[in-house]
């Protein structure tokens, strides 16, 4: 008998379902690769996809994709054990992306930007290798807010973070089912599901421009939950309306 979901777990599953339906993220026969870093966001997304698979009224497949950045080649062992226990397919590999991003090879970009670019390139290659139609990332509402503000401050563009983007002429869809969920709800759900998270050994962890921007948001709110809620709800509604309109179709068998 399935265990009843807690409020935080329901929030993640239902909000993901809303985003998937409004933005027409997947369709019958979809093959989804879930990019799992080991952090709570991507791990919760993997769990959510497992539960959504039981709810969606048509069949789709998913698998975990993990590219270890190379600082600790063994730290993804908890993920391998969890996937075996849950019966979920996965591709786990060790790369040298992290050390390369912090070396003299990277002279122009931040280590995080360079490492993320290498990782995404590898994830795209894995999607082609396994014949995947979708690549899912665990970006959440906090990421949407910081990305929006970074675009506005650094480039003068009013732009967010798409929930459903086509790549390579439509052969691959990049989706972000958790973009309506705040980090705090994801953190609670991860604890309640007892997901085997592991620490990030990257020397740049917590010292990114995104972290600085989120601190700016918290300073703007000055501890006011109403101000914070207005910022988050306003931007998530805007992004959902933007992507929902862009991806709307008459085909009822798409979620």
């Amino acid at each position: 008998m399935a265990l009843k979901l807690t409020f935080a777990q329901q929030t993640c599953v239902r909000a993901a379902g809303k985003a998937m339906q409004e933005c027409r993220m997947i369709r019958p026969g979809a093959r989804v690769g879930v990019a799992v870093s080991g952090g709570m966001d991507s791990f919760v997304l993997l769990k959510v996809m497992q539960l959504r698979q039981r709810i969606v009224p048509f069949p789709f497949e998913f698998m975990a994709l993990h590219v270890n950045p190379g600082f600790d080649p063994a730290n993804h062992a908890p993920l391998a054990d969890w996937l075996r226990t849950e019966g979920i397919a996965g591709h786990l590999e060790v790369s040298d992306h992290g050390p390369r991003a912090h070396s003299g090879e990277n002279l122009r970009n931040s280590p995080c930007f360079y490492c993320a670019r290498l990782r995404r390139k590898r994830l795209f290659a894995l999607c082609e290798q396994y014949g995947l139609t979708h690549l899912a990332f665990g970006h959440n509402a906090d990421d949407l807010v910081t990305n929006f503000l970074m675009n506005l401050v650094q480039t003068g563009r009013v732009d967010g973070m798409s929930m459903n983007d086509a790549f390579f002429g439509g052969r691959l869809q990049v989706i972000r089912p958790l973009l309506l969920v705040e980090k705090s709800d994801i953190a609670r759900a991860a604890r309640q599901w007892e997901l085997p998270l592991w620490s990030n050994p990257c020397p740049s962890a917590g010292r990114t421009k995104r972290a600085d921007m989120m601190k700016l948001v918290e300073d703007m709110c000055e501890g006011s939950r109403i101000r914070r809620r207005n910022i988050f709800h306003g931007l998530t509604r805007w992004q959902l309306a933007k992507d929902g309109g862009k991806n709307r179709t008459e085909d009822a068998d798409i979620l």
Side-chain angles (χ1 to χ4, degrees):
M1 184 175 179
L3 295 176
K4 185 177 179 181
L5 298 180
T6 66
F7 178 78
Q9 292 166 347
Q10 289 179 357
T11 296
C12 294
V13 175
R14 290 175 179 173
K18 180 178 180 179
M20 291 168 73
Q21 185 171 18
E22 290 288 324
C23 299
R24 305 298 193 260
M25 289 188 183
I26 61 173
R27 64 188 69 213
R31 294 169 53 84
V32 184
V34 181
V36 184
S37 65
M40 68 178 73
D41 304 320
S42 58
F43 222 136
V44 165
L45 174 58
L46 189 60
K47 183 65 180 179
V48 165
M49 293 299 289
Q50 183 186 40
L51 295 175
R52 293 300 308 174
Q53 192 181 45
R54 304 169 188 172
I55 300 171
V56 171
F58 53 75
F60 74 90
E61 302 175 42
F62 74 95
M63 67 179 295
L65 301 176
H66 173 69
V67 180
N68 186 317
F71 294 112
D72 181 355
N75 73 346
H76 62 266
L79 173 60
D81 294 339
W82 188 85
L83 291 174
R84 279 193 292 269
T85 299
E86 297 293 322
I88 298 174
H91 175 102
L92 289 69
E93 67 176 52
V94 178
S95 75
D96 60 355
H97 298 166
R100 286 173 61 188
H102 288 81
S103 73
E105 174 184 331
N106 177 26
L107 299 176
R108 300 182 59 184
N109 303 117
S110 71
C112 293
F113 179 88
Y114 198 76
C115 184
R117 187 172 68 181
L118 293 172
R119 175 174 175 259
R120 177 167 292 205
K121 183 178 179 181
R122 179 58 184 152
L123 288 170
F124 284 157
L126 288 173
C127 287
E128 183 176 7
Q129 176 181 328
Y130 286 103
L132 303 179
T133 59
H134 294 69
L135 176 61
F137 288 105
H139 296 115
N140 56 56
D142 294 54
D143 296 316
L144 171 62
V145 171
T146 55
N147 195 70
F148 178 89
L149 293 175
M150 287 174 67
N151 285 332
L152 186 63
V153 171
Q154 296 182 0
T155 69
R157 291 186 297 114
V158 177
D159 197 8
M161 182 179 282
S162 179
M163 296 184 181
N164 188 4
D165 253 344
F167 283 76
F168 311 115
R171 296 198 310 275
L172 181 69
Q173 296 291 130
V174 170
I175 60 175
R176 297 180 173 91
L178 295 184
L179 212 59
L180 301 180
V181 188
E182 293 189 36
K183 185 87 170 183
S184 56
D185 289 317
I186 291 174
R188 283 194 293 272
R191 289 194 299 270
Q192 292 158 357
W193 271 317
E194 298 182 344
L195 299 176
L197 310 178
W198 60 85
S199 60
N200 184 359
C202 175
S204 295
R207 297 189 289 113
T208 65
K209 291 182 180 179
R210 289 187 181 277
D212 293 341
M213 191 60 70
M214 183 48 67
K215 185 177 185 307
L216 177 61
V217 172
E218 299 300 335
D219 291 343
M220 287 169 53
C221 296
E222 295 180 347
S224 169
R225 280 192 259 178
I226 294 177
R227 292 180 186 176
R228 192 178 192 279
R229 185 170 62 243
N230 287 342
I231 292 174
F232 276 69
H233 286 190
L235 282 177
T236 53
R237 285 197 301 267
W238 170 77
Q239 190 69 60
L240 185 62
K242 179 182 176 186
D243 288 337
K246 179 179 67 176
N247 293 289
R248 191 158 288 121
T249 175
E250 295 181 357
D251 189 346
D253 290 329
I254 299 179
L255 289 179

